[in-house]
């Protein structure tokens, strides 16, 4: 056979090799852009005095969406961290629900407007409520995976965190227990190079992914701006977990393109040139180029999508602005277990 002759499998588009249809890979891109536009709009809303606070995830959407598509979005359990707008949108949260949270309204499904934005939670979507102290979601994910194993359910728990969190005790305790028990949990570190203002060179003496070796399971580093590679790695990790082979630690390399939050001046600890250089690696335009090269997307469709998302955002903002704030007596709702809700006046 001529060495220059490629088989049909070798010439097949990468997303099809991974089992993704044209429609699915286009949907991935749509969610990435939706998350980006949501994030950008929230930065504007805060600056306009409409909302009080926003934690941005700009630059991290690619890995978030790709990982969601690699999981069973109907059955798995999710423990995202506070930048994961792309992830929670991909598993079923709506723009209106997220805007209710941003405006701290009673209709916020996460906490009824009682927590800061980014504390995702949805019983319907199996998104487990996050806590303000970072990394506490890791042992919670391990506990859910233990329950799944005990009940012999073919599901996984998936948890995300930043590289700063990988230095916390909860991270190491969670990984150790998961390794000992061979639990169906996937740990994904979104290494965005900064723990608020502390650069990665001052946080880590090695790779986050290498830490898995000490706990007896694989650690994988992946380009977090490459959606299809993230999808492949997370999908393989899920398959391992379902086969009973235990956890996987994934370190998705990316860059936080925006400030840590609306309370942060990021140029106090990094240069404008560094940020601009990293914008060139942004995974969203990379995905767009891939789709156009494959002949399944066009600039015209992209412009139409941007207009559609803009309209969706307007509707979500209007719904949130016109919704009531929680009442003072709602403070104690859902604090205690049981059939009866306890109000502040009882």
């Amino acid at each position: 056979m001529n060495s220059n002759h490629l088989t049909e499998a070798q010439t097949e588009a990468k997303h099809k090799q991974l089992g993704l249809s044209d429609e699915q890979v286009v949907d991935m891109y749509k969610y990435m852009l939706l998350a980006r536009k949501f994030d950008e709009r929230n930065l504007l809303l805060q600056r306009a005095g409409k909302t009080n606070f926003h934690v941005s995830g700009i630059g991290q959407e690619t890995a978030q969406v790709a990982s969601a598509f690699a999981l069973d979005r109907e059955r798995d359990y999710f423990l995202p961290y506070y930048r994961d707008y792309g992830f929670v949108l991909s598993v079923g949260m709506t723009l209106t629900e997220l805007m209710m949270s941003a405006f701290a309204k009673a209709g916020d499904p996460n906490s009824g407007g009682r927590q800061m934005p980014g504390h995702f939670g949805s019983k319907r979507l199996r998104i487990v409520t996050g806590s303000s102290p970072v990394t506490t979601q890791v042992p919670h994910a391990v506990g859910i995976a233990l329950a799944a194993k005990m009940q012999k359910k073919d599901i996984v728990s998936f948890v995300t965190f930043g590289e700063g969190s990988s230095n916390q005790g909860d991270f190491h305790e969670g990984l150790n227990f998961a390794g000992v028990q061979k639990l169906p949990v996937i740990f994904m570190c979104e290494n965005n190079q900064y723990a608020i203002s502390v650069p990665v060179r001052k946080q880590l003496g090695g790779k986050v992914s290498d830490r898995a070796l000490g706990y007896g399971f694989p650690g994988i580093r992946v380009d977090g701006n490459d959606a299809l590679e993230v999808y492949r790695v997370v999908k393989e990790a899920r398959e391992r977990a379902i086969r009973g082979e235990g956890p996987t630690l994934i370190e998705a390399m990316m860059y936080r393109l925006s400030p840590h939050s609306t309370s942060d001046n990021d140029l106090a600890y990094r240069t404008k040139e560094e940020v601009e250089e990293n914008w060139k690696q942004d995974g969203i335009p990379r995905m767009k180029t891939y789709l156009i090269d494959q002949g399944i997307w066009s600039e015209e469709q992209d412009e139409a999508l941007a207009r559609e998302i803009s309209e969706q955002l307007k509707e979500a903002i209007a719904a949130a602005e016109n919704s009531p704030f929680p009442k003072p007596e709602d403070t104690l709702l859902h604090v205690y277990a049981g059939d009866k809700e306890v109000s502040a006046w009882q």
Side-chain angles (χ1 to χ4, degrees), residues 43-268:
L43 291 170
L44 293 175
L45 288 167
Q46 192 276 337
R47 288 170 188 160
K50 298 268 188 178
T51 61
N52 291 316
F53 185 73
H54 179 64
V55 180
S56 180
I58 292 176
Q60 302 182 215
E61 306 95 337
T62 301
Q64 294 169 4
V65 174
S67 59
F69 271 69
L71 299 166
D72 186 333
R73 288 177 284 169
E74 301 298 323
R75 299 172 65 243
D76 290 339
Y77 279 75
F78 314 118
L79 295 93
Y81 92 127
Y82 52 83
R83 299 191 195 278
D84 276 1
Y85 306 110
F87 185 88
V88 297
L89 285 166
S90 297
V91 299
M93 290 199 88
T94 67
L95 284 178
T96 298
E97 289 174 326
L98 289 178
M99 282 298 179
M100 289 286 185
S101 176
F103 280 85
K105 294 302 181 76
D108 163 31
N110 303 294
S111 69
R114 293 180 290 179
Q115 279 191 303
M116 291 192 303
H119 292 73
F120 309 109
S122 171
K123 186 175 182 180
R124 170 177 61 92
L125 300 171
R126 300 165 316 285
I127 299 173
V128 182
T129 302
S131 179
S132 291
V134 298
T135 332
T136 55
Q137 71 272 24
V138 171
H140 295 164
V142 172
I144 291 167
L146 176 62
K149 183 176 180 178
M150 293 172 69
Q151 295 173 6
K152 295 180 169 55
K153 292 183 177 179
D154 60 340
I155 59 173
V156 305
S157 63
F158 177 82
V159 59
T160 60
F161 47 89
E163 82 285 351
S165 288
S166 73
N167 302 316
Q168 300 294 318
D170 283 332
F171 169 86
H172 294 279
E173 292 170 25
L175 266 68
N176 184 63
F177 190 88
V180 170
Q181 301 293 332
K182 285 191 175 297
L183 299 180
V185 54
I186 302 170
F187 306 98
M188 190 170 90
C189 174
E190 297 182 26
N191 188 337
N192 66 13
Q193 314 297 307
Y194 283 93
I196 306 184
S197 60
V198 183
V200 70
R201 69 179 183 277
K202 293 184 178 181
Q203 303 174 50
L204 302 171
K207 298 178 182 178
V208 173
S209 53
D210 285 347
R211 295 176 174 181
L213 297 174
Y215 299 118
F217 56 88
I220 302 164
R221 178 179 271 195
V222 64
D223 180 358
N225 291 312
D226 187 333
L228 298 181
E229 270 300 288
V230 174
Y231 174 87
R232 179 186 67 80
V233 168
V234 175
K235 184 179 180 183
E236 289 177 0
R238 187 180 190 279
E239 290 168 352
R240 283 189 69 254
I242 295 302
R243 289 196 301 265
E245 296 174 17
T248 303
L249 171 62
I250 298 166
E251 182 183 15
M253 303 302 296
M254 56 190 69
Y255 188 86
R256 195 191 77 216
L257 294 167
S258 51
H260 166 70
S261 72
T262 48
S263 300
D264 174 44
N265 174 18
D266 63 316
L267 296 183

Side-chain angles (χ1 to χ4, degrees), residues 316-330:
I317 292 167
E321 284 189 302
N322 294 323
S323 294
F325 286 103
K327 302 173 184 176
E329 59 266 31
D330 291 344

Side-chain angles (χ1 to χ4, degrees), residues 28-39:
M28 285 173 67
Y29 173 69
K30 288 180 177 179
Y31 277 113
M32 290 174 202
L33 196 62
L34 183 66
R36 175 65 57 87
K37 296 299 183 183
F38 168 82
D39 212 318

